[in-house]
């Protein structure tokens, strides 16, 4: 099945010219496919729906399944949270007992406890990083950028695999207990999403044995994405115990295409997770099994007046400071990531990097505890740090405690809790901690191991917020340092991550401090405003670095001045509604598109068919000898979702020579009424339709109902990318593609010359 | 300009046959127009946008205005809240001082204090009701149903007027201080919406003098609706001090068409309102001007363990009870409303009804305080009820207080606070209060005066929740009656109103009790599930009774089996892109549609134009003698929004005989690229597009790009209404409209015979 060389070359050239080095390339784009969130309204699907929906038993059963799956997602995600929390704290505890013994053994020397901590941290982080690098690369980092993208409508490869779930949950335990400047909250969001995907699909690509046919109804992009929304919310509920914040996170990230019923389900999922977490954590910790015993993660117990009007300007200033510090953090991390990308070509380098960072973190942490212990009387500290260096003094006098060690060597969660709650902190302790932890978080973010940014941000912000509060105390009356610590934490997290409402609610829920809601909100808003002036949020930066075509929430002003036809791909490759087998096969081999418009004999747009559907039709040999329609569709609906989420590639399909001239009637399978847009519509309108409906392909139609182009996520993303680079004029030039001579242009209809010729050659 | 009688009659008949007595009638529908949320992408608008957006000063100024308006909405709404709170409490205080004096004067007799209370209550309610009935009928009730409808995309007449704002805010003070079983929270949401509409428009239809040209950019349905979302949120923030809950309320009700930037603005608006309220309330109450001094409205100060696992089944049972009691409440209120509608034809009857209900409420309240005082030691009561019958004993012994009087005769807010916080309640007090207040709320809801349902629901639910808690105390250890009171309140409010996430957050914010978040959520979910099994939420019931075509959030299963062409209005009245003046005038006179499709000479769909645009074009005499396009559009863009939100009626336009044969070129003014749908698309798809994009008119196009029908809110609403009545098959029959012979059917193009004939007659 060789093509004549010249047409093949021509075709390649055509394809090449569609690309622009600045922009997404085809191969990148095909690795990051969009979700098929829109329903396929094909006659086959609709008649099946009609049949099923007539049975009220079916509808009831579907509903029951929906809620059972949602419940399970919440429950199991929270169990992951309980497990991770328990094991992490246990490892840290024994690690510190070891170090305590070394300290006692050497009677307060530096080197022995240091060696113990250094080696144990390097081992823990080394295993975690190795797991990620050689077993499941998608398990690295926090996973929030990937979940954001998924909710935004993009399939990022591998992120929802069982294998990734395993690595992420084991890895995050090792990384956090390995003393790195990171937390488990981000990974928990990812874990929740993976649990949701796994349970709702009832099967695993990693372990083929796991395959229950109970939930086959949910094996499609639409339902899977909806469950993942719930899972992400459950992840936050299972990490922070913040179900409302979790629901809002999913809503904030996924609200471009959303519906009200989904809010309700997501909320239920998060409530189940929150309830399970509280109950089991209290059981594990206090053997009391009472959900109320577990106070919110970072509960602020202080009950004095929280703030007064004269403090508000300082909150605003702290918000601005958070915006600036966050922007610097983001910019530095961006440069670091770019540097990493250039030098870390081999996995072993990435692994060594993780080890080195673990070593640096351990060395700096320990040295600071030794050199600037910040000894305070034990009575002034909260009881939350009882697993840290309390009993042995650690370079402090009797009855004193090394507060620096409590901050640096315990878990990040405990540091935040102590920053929010402890009565005394020396200023220099806070200053040193804030600066060093800022730098450590900076280098940790982006290593090849599961690691979350939320807790480090709270710790850094909490430290400088509290410091500012302490500085203000002599000047102003009634300064509440706990409030200032919380405000600082909000400002820095807001300045880096830029989540707004969800973050605000998460902080309120986790601190149990509704009274401080208004200061948090004000600070967050200022931090976001200031930060947005300089640079994007950290998650968006990582998404950009990974070249994932995330679409923004809203259209820009410039979009009202550009038309659909100026950004669309105008080399449309279409099929007839009854099409020759060979032509379909050739087109699938020669192009990488995922959707093909279908036209009738008189060239009127008829509908849209997906690549995966076409491959299935070829694979199942749904061939007929004449063009006349068959009474019954030749392929059953279930065949199309059989291999979901993967679909067989075209290379797996073999066409026999005697089949080449046969036909496939595409009409029963295609989406006959996709949303379409007029070629003259503004890009703003295109954007709204595309985003709000969660589309993957948007056919562009002219006045006479002829298809003249296709718009995909890539076109909109490239438009936004170019605008960001002030290259708007280039977007316009694209329409006059230099290879227009390759394309036969007849009255609003495009045909790809190469393909139709080669098809003719072969079929002749 | 008389039409020959026969065509006119025919036309009327045609129109009549589109209607169905069960369904919305034309006149009802035209009183409840949809918002034009979608942008008009006409050449005129786009070129103006292009011109404006090139100026970065303009964009910056626009942005500044946007945030200034948002700030002002939050601030002023909260000031309304402060004012209402302060005046209401002052009136109640003096009323009770009067009654106290009467009590002391008669040395504990029944009749004198009763007469004082009765007469003052009747006077207060009488004024309030008279204001509503004779000055601004849209000011009655809570206003939540109307705000819901507005956010849903429906213009309900009069609800955003300055006059309504005045009546609502004065009226709610009088009603609440008049002792009725109602609160001011619902009206505050309405007040916030009105403030938002007023400020963003910068003019008033009630007082023409109020007309500032600063914010003319926002004089369109899109921006106005977005500001109202913020205002509603600010209303909740300004009533409860719950900014996050307020934002979620707007999001929950308006999220079918929403964007992320709007979340951010709504949140800002609510935060400003919350901050303002707390600051000024603390200033007014304690002269301290510290936002933290004002604890959340219903703060629960109890700090003992809030709940444990064995209580959870009881929370679920209370949730179910709330669902059942709420459903009964809704059903009874529905019957009452229907009864009211039948008998209360004259305003005076409605006024007398309000007076009678005020009398009944005063009589029952006072009699109960006299007959079953529920005397408790003052020490066991919270200090929040210091304006009630504390000093004089009121039928109780010395050192005791009449708790029934505190519940019944103070404001609803104080009752809720005391139910959530007081240490002692006699069981019979709670039982009597719950039953009587349930009945009083039931008859109060729907009277002709501003009155909110939220607080009475909390009070009733709080009473029975607490009662159940007290009953359980001997059986179970560690029962926290405060938690049970809160759970009961959540259950009953959830069972009547059926708001979920927003209500949950509102309760958490107002009680300051994050620990009780999970019980509240569980209870609310159960209450909603149980309630939804029986009957709609109370707001939806009132919306149905008012025949407002509220569309549901999500499509139903049945919609996937019906096609657009089966529900569309197929008597399409179209215009040519260059159309005769007389024809336009005639069509506007003879039809009530608000949007008209435009076709070209070769009958291809070209775009959509609104009635208001056509009237303006006629009014401004944008006439030309030939069909050739003019260089410059004849009417300026600003003319079209000049009279917003009203537009001049067609009856105000006079066409001279010499103009009748002239033409209007509609192309510069029409929306050239509206969203369209294929006639074969499922109603599910139609519904999604219509709802998500906030459409008003959806042209239905066939394969050949010919217009074959129009779908409006009414069609979708009627489809849902019919489905609810199991009359699905009737929906299908509609397509074969009996009057099809009136319509000339040529290849996918409809022309209204009557009109084209009559036009011909006249123009000849």
């Amino acid at each position: 099945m060789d093509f004549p060389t010249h047409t093949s070359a021509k075709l390649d050239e055509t394809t090449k010219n569609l690309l622009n080095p600045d922009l997404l390339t085809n191969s990148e784009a095909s690795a990051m496919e969009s979700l098929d969130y829109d329903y396929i309204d094909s006659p086959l699907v609709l008649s099946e729906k009609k049949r099923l929906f007539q049975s009220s038993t079916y509808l009831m059963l579907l509903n029951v399944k929906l809620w059972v799956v949602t419940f399970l997602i919440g429950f199991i995600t929270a169990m992951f949270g309980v497990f991770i929390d328990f094991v992490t704290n246990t490892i840290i505890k024994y690690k510190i007992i070891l170090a305590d013994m070394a300290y006692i053994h050497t009677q307060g020397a530096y080197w022995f406890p240091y060696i113990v901590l250094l080696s144990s941290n390097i081992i823990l982080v080394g295993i975690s990083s190795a797991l990620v690098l050689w077993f499941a690369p998608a398990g690295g980092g926090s996973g929030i950028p990937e979940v954001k993208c998924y909710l935004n409508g993009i399939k990022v490869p591998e992120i929802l695999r069982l294998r990734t779930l395993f690595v992420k949950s084991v890895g995050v335990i090792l990384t956090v207990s390995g003393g790195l400047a990171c937390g488990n909250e981000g990974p928990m969001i990812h874990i929740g999403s993976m649990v949701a995907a796994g349970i709702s699909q009832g099967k695993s690509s990693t372990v083929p044995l796991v395959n229950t046919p109970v939930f086959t109804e949910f094996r499609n992009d639409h339902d899977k994405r909806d469950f993942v929304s719930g899972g992400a919310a459950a992840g936050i509920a299972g990490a922070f115990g913040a179900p409302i914040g979790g629901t809002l996170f999913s809503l904030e990230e996924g609200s471009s295409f959303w519906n009200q019923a989904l809010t309700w389900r997501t909320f239920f999922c998060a409530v189940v997770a929150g309830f399970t977490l509280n109950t089991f954590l209290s059981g594990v910790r206090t053997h009391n099994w009472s959900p109320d015993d577990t106070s919110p993660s970072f509960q602020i117990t202080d009950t004095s007046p929280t703030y007064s009007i004269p403090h508000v300007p300082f909150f605003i200033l702290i918000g601005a400071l958070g915006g600036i510090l966050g922007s610097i953090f983001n910019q530095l991390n961006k440069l670091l990531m770019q540097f990493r990308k250039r030098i870390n070509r081999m996995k072993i380098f990435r692994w060594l990097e993780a080890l080195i960072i673990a070593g640096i973190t351990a060395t700096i942490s320990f040295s600071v505890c030794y050199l600037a212990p910040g000894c305070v009387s034990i009575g002034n500290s909260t009881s939350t740090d009882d697993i840290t260096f309390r009993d042995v003094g650690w370079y402090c006098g009797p009855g004193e405690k090394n507060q620096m060690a409590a901050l640096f060597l315990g878990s990040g969660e405990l540091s935040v809790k102590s920053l929010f709650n402890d009565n005394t902190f020396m200023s220099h302790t806070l200053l040193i901690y804030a600066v060093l932890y800022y730098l450590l978080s900076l280098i940790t973010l982006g290593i090849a191991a599961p690691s979350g940014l939320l807790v480090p941000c709270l710790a850094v912000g909490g430290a400088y917020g509290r410091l500012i509060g302490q500085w203000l105390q002599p000047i102003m009356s009634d300064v509440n340092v706990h409030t200032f610590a919380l405000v600082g934490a909000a400002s820095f997290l807001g300045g880096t991550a830029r989540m707004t409402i969800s973050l605000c609610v998460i902080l309120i829920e986790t601190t149990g401090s509704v009274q401080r809601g208004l200061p948090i909100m004000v600070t967050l808003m200022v931090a976001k405003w200031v930060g947005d002036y300089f640079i994007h949020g950290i998650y968006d930066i990582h998404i950009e670095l990974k070249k994932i075509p995330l679409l923004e929430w809203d259209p820009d002003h410039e979009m009202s001045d550009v038309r659909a036809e100026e950004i669309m791909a105008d080399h449309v490759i279409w099929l007839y509604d009854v099409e020759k087998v060979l032509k379909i096969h050739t087109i699938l081999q020669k192009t990488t598109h995922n959707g093909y418009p279908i036209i009738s004999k008189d060239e009127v747009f008829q509908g849209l068919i997906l690549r995966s559907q076409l491959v299935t039709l070829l694979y199942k040999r749904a061939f007929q000898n004449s063009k006349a329609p068959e009474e019954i569709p030749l392929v059953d609906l279930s065949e199309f979702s059989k291999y979901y989420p993967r679909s067989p590639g075209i290379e797996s399909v073999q066409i026999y020579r005697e089949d080449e001239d046969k036909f496939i009637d595409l009409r029963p399978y295609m989406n006959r009424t996709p949303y379409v847009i007029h070629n003259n519509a503004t890009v703003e309108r295109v954007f709204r339709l595309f985003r709000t409906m969660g589309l993957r392909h948007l056919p562009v139609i002219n006045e006479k109902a002829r298809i003249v182009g296709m718009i995909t996520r890539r076109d909109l993303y490239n438009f936004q990318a170019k605008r960001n680079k002030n290259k708007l004029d280039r977007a316009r030039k694209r329409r006059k593609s230099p290879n227009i001579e390759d394309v036969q242009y007849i009255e609003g209809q495009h045909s790809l010359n190469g393909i139709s010729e080669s098809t003719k050659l072969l079929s002749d």
Side-chain angles (χ1 to χ4, degrees), chain A residues 1-8 580-587 589-590 655-662 754-764:
Chain A
M1 215 185 288
D2 277 301
F3 286 93
T5 333
H6 71 280
T7 44
S8 184
K580 270 199 178 163
V581 169
L582 183 60
K583 185 171 165 202
I584 296 176
H585 190 246
T586 312
I587 282 182
Q589 280 185 316
K590 284 283 151 187
I655 303 292
Y656 302 106
R657 189 157 271 279
E658 67 263 30
D659 287 337
E660 286 178 351
D661 285 346
K662 288 184 179 164
I755 282 189
S756 34
E757 262 185 35
S758 63
T759 316
K760 214 183 292 167
L761 273 169
L762 281 164
S763 55
D764 275 349

Side-chain angles (χ1 to χ4, degrees), chain A residues 631-700:
Chain A
E631 279 295 298
I632 303 152
L634 295 166
V635 179
D636 202 56
L637 190 58
S638 62
E639 293 294 335
F640 292 100
S641 59
K642 204 170 186 177
Y643 303 97
Y644 182 84
R646 294 177 197 181
S647 57
I650 184 65
E651 61 285 351
S652 66
V653 177
Q654 185 68 41
I655 303 292
Y656 302 106
R657 189 157 271 279
E658 67 263 30
D659 287 337
E660 286 178 351
D661 285 346
K662 288 184 179 164
F663 295 94
I664 302 183
D665 185 355
L666 301 173
R667 286 170 294 192
Y669 316 106
M670 69 190 186
N671 185 351
R672 297 188 86 149
T673 52
Y675 298 113
V676 295
I677 197 90
H678 193 280
N679 60 326
N680 210 21
T682 62
V683 175
E684 182 180 348
R685 188 167 281 268
V686 172
F687 187 88
R688 281 187 206 282
L689 183 66
F690 195 92
R691 283 291 277 149
T692 323
M693 293 303 172
L695 299 185
R696 185 175 183 184
H697 304 100
L698 180 56
V700 183

Side-chain angles (χ1 to χ4, degrees), chain A residues 61-227:
Chain A
L61 201 67
L62 189 72
N63 218 9
V64 169
K65 280 185 191 178
L66 199 71
W67 288 99
V68 167
V69 169
T70 308
F71 176 87
L72 285 177
I73 292 170
F75 182 78
I76 294 178
T77 302
M79 291 311 290
F80 269 92
V82 173
F83 176 75
I84 290 172
D85 182 274
F86 179 73
V87 178
T88 308
N89 284 326
T90 309
I91 295 180
I92 293 180
K93 189 170 148 192
Y94 284 105
K95 195 177 79 175
I96 287 176
I97 288 177
L98 260 182
D100 275 354
M101 282 160 59
Y103 177 82
I104 294 165
H105 183 73
T106 54
Q107 292 169 332
Y110 172 87
W111 63 276
F112 196 28
Y114 167 62
I115 295 290
V116 167
L117 276 175
L118 181 72
S119 51
S120 54
N121 281 4
I122 286 181
I123 290 168
L124 289 165
V125 173
I127 299 172
S128 169
S129 180
L131 275 174
V132 165
L133 286 168
W134 285 283
F135 196 60
S142 78
I144 294 185
E146 287 82 1
V147 174
K148 266 184 83 135
C149 291
Y150 191 82
L151 294 179
N152 190 276
I154 306 161
K155 274 182 213 171
V156 187
E158 308 265 313
I159 64 155
L160 296 177
R161 292 286 167 77
L162 185 61
R163 171 206 293 256
T164 312
L165 174 60
F166 171 74
V167 167
K168 195 106 197 179
S169 35
V170 173
V172 74
I173 291 174
L174 298 172
T175 322
V176 173
S177 56
L180 287 190
C182 66
N184 64 22
E185 278 73 4
M188 270 302 293
I189 296 175
H190 191 181
I191 287 171
S193 310
M194 290 186 280
V195 168
I199 293 177
S200 67
Q201 302 303 298
K203 73 176 198 177
S204 157
S205 314
T206 313
V207 188
L209 276 178
V210 179
N211 191 344
T212 148
V214 185
F215 303 136
T216 44
E217 294 91 340
F218 304 137
R219 288 186 191 165
N220 61 69
D221 282 358
H222 190 102
D223 287 318
K224 191 171 169 183
R225 188 262 192 189
D226 286 356
F227 281 116

Side-chain angles (χ1 to χ4, degrees), chain A residues 512-554:
Chain A
S513 177
V514 176
Q515 275 83 350
R516 292 179 177 90
L518 285 168
I520 296 176
M521 289 180 216
V522 172
T523 314
L524 274 177
M525 290 207 291
V526 176
K528 184 181 154 67
W529 266 328
V530 172
D532 279 347
Y533 181 79
F534 295 112
I535 191 171
H536 278 178
I538 190 72
Y539 300 125
D540 288 325
I541 289 173
H542 279 242
I543 289 167
E544 280 161 31
L545 288 171
K546 287 180 185 168
K547 299 212 175 174
I548 306 178
L550 188 86
L551 291 179
E552 283 170 26
W553 284 327
D554 297 304

